[in-house]
Each structure stands twice: as C-alpha cells, then as structure tokens.
Amino acid sequence: MRTGPESELAGVLAGLPLFAGLSREECQAVAAVARQESRPRGAAIFAEGDPGHGFYIVLEGRVKVFKLGADGKEQVLHLLGPGEPFGEVAVFAGRSFPAHAEALSRCRLLVIPRAAFRELLARQPSLALNLLASLSLRLRRFAQLIEDLSLKEVPGRLAAYLLMESDQNGGADVVRLEITKGLLASVLGTIPETLSRILARLSRSGLIAADGPLIRILDREGLAELAGGERRL
Amino acid sequence: MRTGPESELAGVLAGLPLFAGLSREECQAVAAVARQESRPRGAAIFAEGDPGHGFYIVLEGRVKVFKLGADGKEQVLHLLGPGEPFGEVAVFAGRSFPAHAEALSRCRLLVIPRAAFRELLARQPSLALNLLASLSLRLRRFAQLIEDLSLKEVPGRLAAYLLMESDQNGGADVVRLEITKGLLASVLGTIPETLSRILARLSRSGLIAADGPLIRILDREGLAELAGGERRL
DNA sequence: CGCTGCGTTGAGCTTCTTCAACGATCGTGG
DNA sequence: CCACGATCGTTGAAGAAGCTCAACGCAGCG
C-alpha cells in the first residue's frame, strides 16, 4: 500500500468518530476532495454570515467558535481540538455560518466542500448516522448552555464547569484550566472581572482552592449544590 | 386505494417536510409502527432525563419544550405546532430527553419508536438528509438564543422577537402574539413582570404601540437598532 | 528595559429579579 | 344571574447580581 500524503490523511480520517464505519476507500475519497489550510494564532477562520462552501475539521491546534455582541463581548459556543469538525450547520441549513470561528493557536485545518460531501452522504447511511449523532450531541450541549445562561448565576455555571472538567478527568480533585481565564469567562457567559471575583469568593468559602490555572475541588457537595442552582452562599 | 386510519395518517406524514422525498409506502411503514397519544392542556409529555424510546410529532395542538430552573423558572427552547417533530435528540444521542415537554393545549401526538425509525433511516438517505437539515436549523436557532441571552438585554431580545414575527407575516406592521405574555417571557429568558415593564417602556419611547396581544411596530429602525444590541433606550 | 497580554481588585451604576398588591377577564357552579 | 376563583397582566418598591471604568501587579518577550 502506498502511503502518499492523501493516503496518510485518509488514515487520520478513518480514525475519527465522524467517519467511523466508512471503508478505507471512502475515506480516501473524502481526503481527495478536501483541501488543507492553515491559520496563525488569532486569525479568523470564518465570520458569521459568510457563505459556507464547506465545513472544517481541525487537524492541529485549537479553534473557538463564538458569537459577537454589539459591544465586542464574546460568547463562546464551541472549543475544538484535533479531530473535531465544525461549521457543518452551514452545509445542511441556511448556507451561511451562524457564528464566528477563530484560531486559538496555529492551526492546520481540513476543508471539506459542501457538494462533494453531500454526495458522499447520500451513498453512506452510516456517515449520516454519525452526523446525526454529532449534531444531536451538540444540540444537547447547547440546551445545557441555554439553561446555564438563563437559569443559573455565574457561580453555578462555574461550579458546573469545574465538576464537568473533573468528571472528564476521571473525577480528579485538581482541575487544570487549559484555557485562559478570559476565555473561560467567555465560555461561561460572563467577563474576566466577574469570573475573577467569583473564583475568589468560592475560595474564601472553602469550596475550592485556586492557584493560577490549577483549581482544587475541596467541597464537591457544595459545588454540586451551587451547580444545581440552589440559593446559597 | 383504501383509506383506513393508517393510510390517512400516512398521507399526513407524506405532507411533512421531515418525510419529503419518501414514497407513500414508506410513509405507510412509518404510520404502521407509530402510536398515537393525546394529552390534556397542561399535561407533561416527558420530563428531562426520561428515557427516550422514540420521538414525537405534533398532530394537533401546541407543545412547549423547556428547561426548568431550581427555583421553578422556565426557559422555553421550542414552541411546536401541528406537523412539527420534537424529542429527536434522544433518538440519536444520549438516549434520554434533554428537556421537559408539556402540552399547551389539548394535543394529539404521534410517537415514533426509536428502533423502527433508525432502521428506516439506514435505508432512506433522503430521510437522513431531511433530519440533518432539521437539526441544523435547530442548532442555528439555539445559537441565536444563546446570543440573545448572553449578549443582549431584554429590550433587545423583545425587539428581535417582534421583528422576526413581523417578517414571518410578510413584514406586517401589526404583530399578534399567539402566546400569553407569561409564555413569551419564558421564551425571551425573563419573567412576566420584566416583560411588562419593557413593553411599557418601548411604548412610551414610541417604538411600538401595544394593545393587549396586538403590537404595532411604529419605528422599525429603532427596534432594529435595539435588536442589534446598540446602547440606547 | 519597556511593552503587551493577562489577571485582580475597587467603586459606582445599570439591569433585572423579588416580593407584594391590585385590576381585569373568563369560566364555573351556586 | 351573580359570585367566586383562577389565570393573566400590570405596577411599585427594594434588593441582588453583574457590568463598566479605572487602576494596578505580574510575567513573558522582544
């Protein structure tokens, strides 16, 4: 088997959840129509309203997808790392990107053109199923974010975030923030000043111990109560 | 052609966007596995966390899908009328419903079992495409709601809502609220008291004229500016 | 060394919610 | 028919949460 650049790329694709169940040939077909791009840190990938001629997969680096308010405030919708797709919505509905995307670090991206992808999709039920699962998961997360923004206060959102991060680490008591606190504020729907104050408050209350990007969970119960939206503290 | 109850139902299904492109036989197959339910006004359809054995289509009546906060406050995610599906997310990801659903009026519902539907899906690429479009549209709307909740104030959300309703009526200057103001408050992520005050304020500013459920748009420009998030009364 | 990005803290203010009271409407049962 | 309760909507006063603006410390890096 030859291992040219396209074949190599196909191998990467075959390993992604999105393409699970596709034959090597089909992955090769995807790789053949895809185009690679790269972006320096801080560069825009697309803007809200841009025509969506295809969707993206992160090969290297990290990407944020976000909404921009009139005053410049950002609300992060997704944070993406290697292997994760974004921008699919524009392929299936509306044809324009519903939000902005920007490289958080130097990025290598794969662009998959709309038309070719839709053709493949019509022939590959398993691909459609994978996509449905992926979009459904995203809807679930959006629903959670809406709940957080509308029904919880900032301390509750932060508590929920910390517990979630801890769970993803197998329940470790120390959570390491992999993003700047400014970005975390945008994820939680607030601003850096407020986040800073809330972190200080939770520390004073003995729920957590914060040391730079390292946060130790001291009172899981208490955090869970906050995250649940209870009225305390 | 016989027109038994199932055949009739199949005809209804064939007319829905979700089943566009499916043959009459396939719609009949869907109708055959589906089950009808009805609910009185105010009754729960499912609760968040319930196992999702299938998804729903509204045949008659109206349904709200919503998140519930710890203090009882509700955030509406969707309002659904005849022909519209809901609860699909549980079919494709996570297996449990991500929110609550309740009948706003007496309802007739169609329940489509998960397994049978997924089988059909594997054989019908066009059905999968329809679903992808539907979920994508919903993601787009969720993204908009997140933007509204996080980046706009209540007057801006209300202005955006009114302009949207007007657009859906071909740009008519008079918008008729088809839902109670209490429910509208839940849609906009606020409470009835606040909505009432904001309506009064916009009226005083001459942007709208409110008369019960009838709202006349007096200053489209001004509303658009508010909806864009600009800083002005 | 000085610059820039990030984070923290304080003071003041805006927005929104909470709590309470009250008016209007509507359907029901006496 | 009227009275009653329930739902819905409105308004006022007070308080809480979060944002704005400003200043400052700190680290990394040219």
Side-chain angles (χ1 to χ4, degrees):
Chain A
M1 187 188 287
R2 297 197 311 108
T3 57
E6 262 181 24
S7 171
E8 192 181 332
L9 181 56
V12 174
L13 295 183
L16 304 183
L18 183 60
F19 297 110
L22 264 69
S23 71
R24 185 57 178 254
E25 286 72 35
E26 278 140 5
C27 288
Q28 206 107 24
V30 176
V33 298
R35 169 176 94 247
Q36 286 199 34
E37 293 189 1
S38 54
R39 291 283 195 296
R41 170 190 155 107
I45 297 169
F46 52 72
E48 178 169 354
D50 282 359
H53 300 300
F55 73 97
Y56 292 77
I57 294 176
V58 181
L59 295 178
E60 251 181 68
R62 306 183 76 198
V63 168
K64 73 172 169 188
V65 174
F66 61 101
K67 286 278 192 176
L68 204 48
D71 55 356
K73 187 182 165 193
E74 296 180 359
Q75 171 66 51
V76 171
L77 299 178
H78 311 290
L79 290 175
L80 304 151
E84 299 188 285
F86 63 102
E88 310 99 306
V89 162
V91 170
F92 300 108
R95 307 195 148 236
S96 67
F97 291 114
H100 303 269
E102 181 185 314
L104 287 175
S105 56
R106 202 151 56 74
C107 275
R108 233 163 25 97
L109 304 169
L110 202 61
V111 190
I112 299 180
R114 170 203 202 88
F117 188 71
R118 289 187 71 127
E119 269 174 42
L120 182 62
L121 207 54
R123 292 196 311 272
Q124 288 298 325
S126 71
L127 181 54
L129 263 286
N130 292 344
L131 257 172
L132 284 171
S134 163
L135 295 190
S136 293
L137 199 59
R138 215 169 288 177
L139 273 168
R140 203 176 268 273
R141 279 201 288 254
F142 270 12
Q144 182 61 48
L145 180 53
I146 290 167
E147 175 181 351
D148 288 354
L149 290 173
S150 179
L151 305 174
K152 289 179 190 163
E153 294 163 359
V154 177
R157 296 178 217 161
L158 175 58
Y161 180 87
L162 292 175
L163 291 175
M164 199 194 67
E165 287 292 304
S166 164
D167 282 356
Q168 288 185 352
N169 271 21
D173 273 352
V174 173
V175 170
R176 176 181 200 89
L177 301 179
E178 300 295 352
I179 56 181
T180 68
K181 291 183 179 175
L183 189 54
L184 177 57
S186 285
V187 169
L188 298 179
T190 186
I191 55 175
E193 292 95 320
T194 298
L195 175 58
S196 188
R197 287 183 237 274
I198 303 293
L199 274 170
R201 174 137 53 102
L202 295 190
S203 296
R204 254 182 277 117
S205 320
L207 293 179
I208 62 173
D211 171 28
L214 258 47
I215 297 183
R216 173 176 292 275
I217 295 178
L218 298 178
D219 181 355
R220 248 196 168 67
E221 280 286 312
L223 284 182
E225 202 164 334
L226 258 186
E230 303 298 326
R231 284 282 155 272
R232 265 200 348 162
L233 208 249
Chain B
M1 187 189 289
R2 298 196 309 110
T3 55
E6 262 181 25
S7 172
E8 193 181 332
L9 181 56
V12 174
L13 295 183
L16 304 183
L18 183 60
F19 297 109
L22 264 68
S23 72
R24 186 57 179 254
E25 286 73 34
E26 278 140 5
C27 287
Q28 206 107 23
V30 175
V33 298
R35 169 177 95 246
Q36 286 200 34
E37 293 188 4
S38 53
R39 291 284 195 294
R41 170 190 154 107
I45 297 169
F46 53 72
E48 178 169 352
D50 281 0
H53 300 302
F55 73 97
Y56 293 77
I57 294 176
V58 181
L59 294 178
E60 250 180 68
R62 306 182 75 197
V63 169
K64 73 171 168 189
V65 175
F66 61 101
K67 286 277 190 175
L68 203 49
D71 55 356
K73 187 181 167 194
E74 295 180 1
Q75 171 66 50
V76 171
L77 298 178
H78 312 289
L79 290 175
L80 304 153
E84 300 187 285
F86 63 102
E88 309 101 307
V89 162
V91 170
F92 300 108
R95 308 194 148 237
S96 67
F97 291 116
H100 303 270
E102 182 185 314
L104 287 175
S105 57
R106 203 151 57 73
C107 275
R108 230 160 32 90
L109 304 169
L110 203 60
V111 190
I112 298 179
R114 171 207 202 83
F117 188 70
R118 289 187 69 127
E119 268 175 43
L120 182 61
L121 207 54
R123 293 197 310 272
Q124 289 297 326
S126 71
L127 181 54
L129 263 286
N130 292 343
L131 257 172
L132 284 171
S134 163
L135 295 191
S136 293
L137 199 59
R138 214 167 289 177
L139 273 168
R140 203 175 268 274
R141 279 201 290 255
F142 270 12
Q144 182 62 47
L145 180 54
I146 290 168
E147 175 181 351
D148 288 354
L149 290 173
S150 179
L151 304 174
K152 290 178 189 163
E153 293 162 0
V154 177
R157 296 177 216 161
L158 175 57
Y161 180 88
L162 293 175
L163 292 173
M164 199 195 68
E165 287 293 304
S166 165
D167 282 355
Q168 289 186 351
N169 271 21
D173 274 351
V174 174
V175 170
R176 176 180 202 88
L177 301 179
E178 300 295 351
I179 56 180
T180 68
K181 291 184 179 174
L183 190 54
L184 177 56
S186 284
V187 169
L188 298 180
T190 184
I191 56 175
E193 292 95 320
T194 299
L195 174 59
S196 188
R197 287 182 236 274
I198 304 293
L199 275 169
R201 173 138 53 103
L202 295 189
S203 296
R204 256 182 276 118
S205 320
L207 293 179
I208 62 174
D211 171 29
L214 259 46
I215 297 184
R216 173 176 292 274
I217 295 178
L218 298 179
D219 181 356
R220 249 199 168 64
E221 281 285 313
L223 283 183
E225 203 163 334
L226 258 186
E230 302 299 326
R231 281 283 154 270
R232 268 200 343 163
L233 212 260

